[in-house]
Amino acid sequence: MSVGLQVSPEWWVAGPYQWRLSLVRTSGGCRWSVPVEAAAGPYQWRLPLVRTSGGCRWSVPVEADAGPYQWRLTLPALPQVMKTCRMMGIQTVAVHSDVDASAVHVKMADQAVCVGPAPTNQSYLNMDAIMEAVRSTGAQAVHPGYGFLSENKEFARRLVRRACLCPGYPVMIKASAGGGGKGMRIAWNEEETRDGFRFSTQEAASSFGDSRLLIEKFIDNPRHIEIQVLADKHGNALWLNERECSIQRRNQKVVEEAPSTFLDADTRRAMGEQAVQLAQAVQYSSAGTVEFLVDSHKNFYFLEMNTRLQVEHPITELITGLDLVQQMIRVAKGYPLLHKQEDIPINGWAIESRVYAEDPYKSFGLPSIGRLSQYQEPLNLSNVRVDSGISEGSDISIYYDPMISKLVTYGATRAEALSKMEDALDNYVIRGVTHNIPLLREIITHPRFISGDISTNFLPEVYPDGFNGHQLTAGGQRELLASAAALHVSAQLRAISSLGLPPSLCVCPSPFFPCLPPSACVCPSPSLPQVEVGGESLVVSGEWDLASPLLPLKINNTPRMLQVLQGLQLLFKVRVLSPLAAELSSFMPEKVPEDTSSILRSPMPGSVVAVSVKPGDTVAEGQEICVIEAMKMQNSMTAAKTGKVKSVHCKAGETVGEGDLLVELE
């Protein structure tokens, strides 16, 4: 008895295992076996697919010994990719060897490109030929299939450089082992993809010791909403409601709240149930977070799962009453969960502000370093929680994350929690480093945030030209002058009380307030100084404890909190002068601002990772000059104009301070 056999296109199986491969068919009581060559090692093995000349199909079982288990591998059909694309309205291009010109996947495709002769190293493993097919057809995405180059890192890198890993721009490039916004970039074109890949790879390696990246479709203008899950070792899992984390800068969260103003009960339940299903599918046990992007129609898309305790976990604890750290310890010990899903409440509202040692006036927050010369948390207020790992005298260095603390407030309603947060930020004293409290306060008091109209683009949309600080109204400006004048008079009264009352003083506004009247006149009294500003009289009262960093005042009986500082990093600058000094100050020459178009200074303290130019080079506007790394974030420094490099004042590996000169142009 004889049977004719025909070999069809080959599959390749890769892996560092010892394979036992055979093709088997039973027909008419006969068992046919076609052994296939196999060996051990990280090689690719050829597995022919065999059929009879009569047109009957053969089954293709593949068995492999890998350790103590036996694995069975089924080989999926590539035409399924074509079917799915056709269903989605996506045109397809098939690549094939010359002997596969009539293969099923070629016939199903809208276009086909031959990438070489039959040997796989000249066709299906020929990266140059496949990349040329991508280029010539204008393909925007590449499905890697199930073998050949599907797990080849070099092929993946070349696709990234070609910007073909994901279906169209924009794409998100991020560290696979990362978090906290590090190693994360958004790319809108091929050039940004190249730069993003370079920076993300370096940041990922520096921050996590793992340079591997993920590239995924970026959803424009979404909300970032995450679900807290809790699972034990007995198959029980809960979702502990959501956290709204859409207020971000550089893809790192700044303000979070729980619950979200956006979700309805049905969407919350759907997201929670899917998060629990995911945790159970991977047999996860502990506290974890499943993150989603949510569009304006409440469609939600899985982003990632963080298998750890999140920075923002306190807001979940406050609205549920659960101690997540305690729950994690119980689960790790092997105890079952104490609660059922119906036991998980939403009680009240909680908000968290991340307090960073950053300059919010530079790209919404570039790192600041220094020693905390004075530090006072607002724990005197009710329903305020501060999680921090620093104290007065602590050093903030360039080597680690710039977070100072997590400031959390709670209220029965969102309005109450926001009011508490405003008070807490006003009562937070941080001296010695620049911090982001001015930005945090502006966010939580902004009408868009209060109304819940937010997305991950909130900051660039609200402050398209960058954050410039709080803009005082005319009434606010008068209150500021009145407070400064009354404070100065009170200090003088205390210093020279034995000599009698001083004369009226002039308070001169800084150039930030050109619309203000030229002076404020103070009629001092022991308890209620009366200040006249622009014809309006304001009564300023307070304890005037000049030894305290906080001065609670009342201006026309309205409570105000004042912090008096000295130095360059001030929110508002006011000079208090005598009438004669105020008159003479008008003759003082003003300092001419430095021309920054021909020089490049470091906007932050950090280390120089790379210098891309040398003296004599011609650079174009926007061209990268050097890269500065601070607190594990890399920042590309670019030329402000086209010109020739005059001198370079830094080199790779050096540490630079804020304001240090890096490069000069002619």
Side-chain angles (χ1 to χ4, degrees), residues 105 112 115 152 266 287 300 369 380 405 412 434 442 457 476 578 619:
H105 78 285
V115 290
N152 187 289
D266 291 339
F300 53 92
I369 64 171
N380 58 307
S405 72
T434 306
E442 282 296 290
N457 292 326
S578 68
V619 296

Side-chain angles (χ1 to χ4, degrees), residues 174-299:
K174 64 182 183 180
S176 65
K182 294 181 176 64
M184 189 176 292
R185 294 289 191 280
I186 299 168
W188 295 81
N189 53 50
E190 184 173 343
E191 182 179 356
E192 291 183 3
T193 301
R194 291 193 188 98
D195 291 341
F197 183 86
R198 175 164 61 98
F199 285 125
S200 293
T201 300
Q202 293 170 355
E203 287 180 4
S206 175
S207 298
F208 312 111
D210 187 339
S211 62
R212 290 178 297 174
L213 302 177
L214 297 174
I215 299 182
E216 60 192 28
K217 178 66 178 174
F218 175 70
I219 300 172
D220 192 19
N221 209 39
R223 287 174 178 257
H224 186 142
I225 300 177
E226 61 191 28
I227 300 293
Q228 177 72 59
V229 296
L230 183 64
D232 63 21
K233 301 178 186 296
H234 305 277
N236 304 307
L238 306 171
W239 48 275
L240 309 182
N241 302 309
E242 79 279 3
R243 294 187 289 257
E244 173 77 67
C245 306
S246 298
I247 305 299
Q248 303 179 5
R249 56 98 182 88
R250 297 194 300 276
N251 304 304
Q252 190 172 29
K253 303 162 188 173
V254 178
V255 177
E256 303 103 338
E257 61 181 307
S260 169
T261 61
F262 187 64
L263 296 190
D264 53 48
D266 291 339
T267 308
R268 176 179 295 114
R269 183 182 307 106
M271 293 176 69
E273 290 175 350
Q274 289 197 24
V276 163
Q277 291 173 9
L278 173 61
Q280 291 178 322
V282 297
Q283 297 181 338
Y284 183 72
S285 61
S286 190
T289 299
V290 181
E291 301 194 359
F292 297 94
L293 294 180
V294 184
D295 66 20
S296 58
H297 301 289
K298 293 186 173 65
N299 300 309

